[in-house]
Every structure is written in structure tokens, then in C-alpha cells.
Amino acid sequence: MKIGLFYLATPKYGGWVTFTSHLYRSLHRIGCQVYLFKISKRTEPNQRPFCDGIKYQNIDIETAKGMAEQFPTIVTASDKNYAIETKTLLANGANVVIHDPTEMKGELLETVRENGIKPITIREVNVKNLAEAGVDSTYVKHPYLRFNDDPKPKTELAVATSRIDFDKHTDIIIEANKSLKREIKIFGAENRLYGFHKLDQIDRRWRRNYYGRFQGRFGEVFKILNPSRYMIDMSAIKKDGGGSQYTFLEGWDAGCVLILNRDWGIGDSDVMKENHNCLYAQNAAELIDLLNRDEKHDEIVEAGYAGLKEFEGESIARQYMKLVA
């Protein structure tokens, strides 16, 4: 079966891009003919690199509209820069994935309501958030394709691979590094405004532990994660949490012990469970304490491996096809 994926957002890195990549590959594995598009002023005959070796095609809005009418179509991510394009696709049969509360804003939700769309969301708490906004939605976990089935010796202490940004709370990691004997290595695309206004005020030398963003090839992140015993992610989003992010799944895949922001563990988490498949730290002091103790957590690593089965890409892809076919 043919299926069209539309990436209608500006970020070139991060969770939206990774989600689109894993969904594309997962649908392909179950035998779908998958097409990835962006919308521009004109249709181009050639494809362009997206990430992980996947390519996309720029098409104009009228061509996109026709495709949404002809076969199943999913908007994998949408931001304010593509509000009109998203509205057009949803009005002509497409569905949309809403990832977190930052996307639950007036125009998108109004379009969803107007067209009777039941959007897909990738964390359970956001079904509740959308319901409070008068929108009925369907919860489907992140699709994830395992890459790293050959565990490596752990020779490094800790690494962080998230974007460096306000919602990622990299400042907690920077504060911890000021006191740690073995500092956390930091990778990821930097929001320079955040770096200047927040991180430079904490430690002007924080970039001594910053190794830039890694290449966007499938599996490249495991060159960074594999040697590390701990993967640190201090993400916290208002009214969101409990469920997965791709950094968590990649950390599990690499056999790392995850240390997450305690603010992520809201309510009764359906996925992330403290002292079962992850550890939590509220602030730099708690993060420092966990890393200085550096205890063995073999059971947490094994629980992480087991947890990945809930996100198996082919199974998740079949759930998507049932929703949109």
C-alpha cells in the first residue's frame, strides 16, 4: 500500500526528524510504498537528503492536496511556519501526529476540530491534554528500530545527546560538570541563544565538554553512546512526560543507564519507571550524587532492553496503517 508522509516543520534535527525517520523505515519494513514530502512553492523532480539516508521530495500545495485525497497521508510534524499547508492537508484527508503540548495551539487544534480529525499522539499524557482542549486523540508509542545489538565495554562515565536547549535543561548538566571529577560529555545541536544567555552565565568554559552535534546517519549516535555507562537527559516539558523520547530509546539500545529529570516522571508513567528502567535526578546535586556513586545497575539495563520491545517498529507501523488506511 502507498502512504505519504509530510514533514511540515523547520527543524533539521531532533525528535521530530528522528520520529519521521523511524516511522518511514518501519512502514517500509511491513511492505508499504512510503513517500516523504515537504511542501514548497513548486514541485521539484529530484529528491533531497532528509536524514539517515532517507530522501524527500519538495512538492507544491496543489500536488500535496491531490496526494492526500488519493492515498493515506500523515503529517509527521507541523509547526507555525506551515500552518496553511497543514490545514490544507487535514482538510483533504490527512492525519497528523501531535508530539507534545507546545504544538497544542489554537490554529492546529481548530483545524483538527473543523475536519473531525482524531490526531495521533506519542505519549499517553497528551491524550488527556488534548481532551482538555476538546480533541479526541489516539495514543501510539514511538516506532523504534533497533540498531545496536552488539553491546560494547563501558569505558566512559556519562554522555548527553539531546539538543542543547531550554526544554532540555542542559543547564543542570553544565552545573553538575562544575563539580564532577569525570565530567559529562555533551553532544547535540546547540540553540545559541540558550548557550549565550543561560549556559555561559553558569560556566563560560562549558564548551570544554561540548563535542558538537553528531552526524545524522542511522546508527551514528551509538559511536557516542556505546562506551558510556550513563545517558543523561534532563528534558522537562510543562504538562508532558512519563513516556518515551528517542534519546531514551537509543540509550536503552546502547545498554546505558538512563538518568532523567524527575519532572519528566509525572503521574503514573506508562513507560519510564524509576529504579526499574531509569533513574531520576531533580537537580545538579542529585545528578552529581548518582554519578559519583556510580553503582552497578545491571537490572536497569536489562529492563531497558526489555522495554524496547514495546516500541518495535514493525508492530507500531501496523498500528499506524490501521488508523489511516
Side-chain angles (χ1 to χ4, degrees):
M1 177 180 286
K2 292 182 179 179
I3 183 167
L5 304 182
F6 281 82
Y7 184 79
L8 302 184
T10 50
K12 296 181 179 179
Y13 318 102
W16 288 353
V17 172
T18 306
F19 167 80
T20 303
S21 167
H22 278 271
L23 181 59
Y24 180 104
R25 292 178 182 278
S26 298
L27 289 165
H28 186 266
R29 284 199 182 183
I30 64 169
C32 294
Q33 290 178 265
V34 193
Y35 301 91
L36 178 59
F37 301 107
K38 293 185 181 182
I39 295 178
S40 63
K41 293 181 179 179
R42 64 185 181 87
T43 297
E44 298 177 354
N46 299 321
Q47 293 182 319
R48 300 182 180 213
F50 181 70
C51 79
D52 296 345
I54 295 170
K55 294 185 177 182
Y56 74 94
Q57 184 181 6
N58 277 323
I59 60 176
D60 64 67
I61 188 64
E62 286 302 315
T63 303
K65 177 180 173 182
M67 289 184 174
E69 292 171 341
Q70 292 174 40
F71 52 82
T73 303
I74 300 172
V75 177
T76 63
S78 174
D79 66 19
K80 62 182 180 180
N81 300 292
Y82 291 89
I84 294 173
E85 292 84 352
T86 300
K87 186 172 185 176
T88 300
L89 287 181
L90 296 189
N92 287 276
N95 204 330
V96 63
V97 178
I98 297 179
H99 298 260
D100 63 58
T102 63
E103 302 160 55
M104 298 176 195
K105 297 184 179 171
E107 192 163 7
L108 177 57
L109 295 189
E110 183 180 336
T111 299
V112 166
R113 292 191 202 98
E114 285 177 355
N115 293 283
I117 303 294
K118 189 174 182 179
I120 299 164
T121 187
I122 43 73
R123 282 189 286 275
E124 188 174 35
V125 67
N126 288 318
V127 174
K128 178 183 177 182
N129 289 331
L130 284 164
E132 290 174 353
V135 173
D136 191 18
S137 62
T138 302
Y139 166 50
V140 182
K141 289 184 171 70
H142 285 101
Y144 185 78
L145 296 173
R146 285 207 65 181
F147 179 88
N148 196 60
D149 56 1
D150 183 21
K152 303 293 191 300
K154 300 296 185 183
T155 57
E156 303 285 343
L157 181 63
V159 68
T161 57
S162 297
R163 287 180 291 106
I164 297 167
D165 215 330
F166 293 95
D167 62 328
K168 299 301 179 182
H169 294 277
T170 317
D171 49 286
I172 296 174
I173 296 172
I174 301 305
E175 187 67 47
N177 271 346
K178 290 167 62 177
S179 300
L180 285 168
K181 293 181 180 178
R182 298 180 66 184
E183 296 167 325
I184 302 162
K185 292 184 176 181
I186 302 166
F187 293 81
E190 178 192 353
N191 178 336
R192 293 187 179 277
L193 285 175
Y194 175 64
F196 176 76
H197 289 291
K198 186 72 173 180
L199 304 187
D200 285 356
Q201 309 311 309
I202 297 172
D203 183 357
R204 292 194 175 277
R205 295 181 57 249
W206 72 268
R207 288 181 179 82
R208 69 187 179 277
N209 297 304
Y210 178 49
Y211 295 84
R213 68 178 171 81
F214 46 90
Q215 296 298 314
R217 292 189 293 270
F218 192 60
E220 190 74 18
V221 69
F222 293 104
K223 293 180 181 178
I224 300 164
L225 290 170
N226 276 337
S228 183
R229 289 202 290 282
Y230 296 89
M231 192 283 296
I232 316 299
D233 190 321
M234 293 287 104
S235 296
I237 304 170
K238 187 177 180 180
K239 296 188 71 177
D240 198 0
S244 63
Q245 296 197 69
Y246 276 106
T247 49
F248 304 174
L249 303 180
E250 289 164 348
W252 280 349
D253 202 352
C256 298
V257 177
L258 309 189
I259 302 180
L260 310 181
N261 193 324
R262 186 172 297 281
D263 287 343
W264 187 259
I266 60 175
D268 294 324
S269 168
D270 64 310
V271 177
M272 309 311 300
K273 301 182 186 299
E274 185 177 17
N275 297 320
H276 172 64
N277 56 25
C278 68
L279 301 173
Y280 282 128
Q282 182 71 54
N283 49 42
E286 291 185 7
L287 181 56
I288 290 166
D289 181 59
L290 286 172
L291 292 177
N292 280 343
R293 282 192 279 141
D294 189 19
E295 297 174 344
K296 290 195 70 175
H297 295 287
D298 293 343
E299 70 289 350
I300 291 179
V301 172
E302 290 303 318
Y305 286 142
L308 286 175
K309 295 176 183 177
E310 298 179 25
F311 299 85
E312 196 275 319
E314 294 179 26
S315 174
I316 302 295
R318 291 188 181 95
Q319 293 180 49
Y320 270 84
M321 291 308 298
K322 286 182 180 179
L323 291 172
V324 302

